[in-house]
Amino acid sequence: MTNPIEERLTHLEIKASFAEDMLDKLDQIIIRQQDQIDRLTREVQWLSQHTPPDAATAPRNLRDDLPPHY
């Protein structure tokens, strides 16, 4: 017969391991989202610096104005 305290500790270790895995996944999601925010911020900054003043009146695909590395 196993010790109830050992069973409880094993159960808690499994829960802790699961929680750590979930936190790691959440960290990865946050990092990816922050990278996307940074990329979009750079795109907006680039567009704001390279868009002619009359661009608001001329409909067009802004993606065409992005530098090649985007």
Side-chain angles (χ1 to χ4, degrees):
M1 183 171 188
T2 57
N3 185 338
I5 292 175
E6 288 177 4
E7 286 181 15
R8 184 71 179 143
L9 285 175
T10 300
H11 183 71
L12 290 173
E13 288 171 350
I14 291 170
K15 281 185 163 184
S17 177
F18 178 77
E20 287 175 359
D21 289 345
M22 295 308 291
L23 286 175
D24 287 343
K25 289 178 183 178
L26 185 57
D27 282 342
Q28 292 171 8
I29 291 170
I30 290 169
I31 289 168
R32 283 195 308 267
Q33 293 301 311
Q34 187 60 52
D35 289 346
Q36 179 137 4
I37 289 168
D38 293 343
R39 183 183 61 80
L40 291 171
T41 300
R42 287 191 309 272
E43 287 180 15
V44 168
Q45 288 171 344
W46 189 91
L47 286 171
S48 68
Q49 294 170 358
H50 294 88
T51 303
D54 63 345
T57 60
R60 61 188 216 223
N61 185 353
L62 294 178
R63 179 65 102 174
D64 297 338
D65 295 336
L66 293 176
H69 64 279
Y70 285 101

